Amino acid sequence: VTGFNNGRSAVVSPLTGTKLSLTFKDGAISGTAGCNTFNATYTAGPDSIVVGQVAATRRACLGDGVAEQEAEFLSALQSATVWTLQGRMLDMHRADGERVLTASPRAK
């Protein structure tokens, strides 16, 4: 994940030292949210997506802002209704057009 909507109409980068990731496979999304892992179901069409309830582990997150980042990131993910791939970049938006998340493939 290269950016996510922090709930205050701004797309921000992950905090230094944290990793946000997403994997889509067989109707399920899983990944890391900064210090906890998460999963959710999803259904998708050519340009639409519905993300189900997100479940996350409940480790205590150390570091300034890490717990807040996780809550903001997971909320942004769950609010997505539109997704597109532009080249290798994933771009997700809410129904009102506001961007909620951007991601690119992990380098191998």
Side-chain angles (χ1 to χ4, degrees), residues 3-63:
F4 66 95
N5 191 308
N6 65 4
R8 296 178 295 283
S9 297
V11 175
V12 297
S13 298
L15 294 171
T16 301
T18 65
K19 175 182 158 187
L20 307 180
S21 68
L22 298 167
T23 300
F24 294 83
K25 184 175 180 181
D26 300 330
I29 305 171
S30 60
T32 57
C35 81
N36 284 289
T37 58
F38 71 91
N39 60 62
T41 59
Y42 76 95
T43 55
D47 62 355
S48 64
I49 189 166
V50 175
V51 177
Q53 184 66 38
V54 175
T57 56
R58 300 176 68 73
R59 290 182 9 182
C61 301
L62 303 177

Side-chain angles (χ1 to χ4, degrees), residues 69-82:
Q69 172 182 267
E70 284 200 347
E72 293 166 356
F73 166 65
L74 295 175
S75 178
L77 175 62
Q78 197 161 357
S79 74
T81 61
V82 177

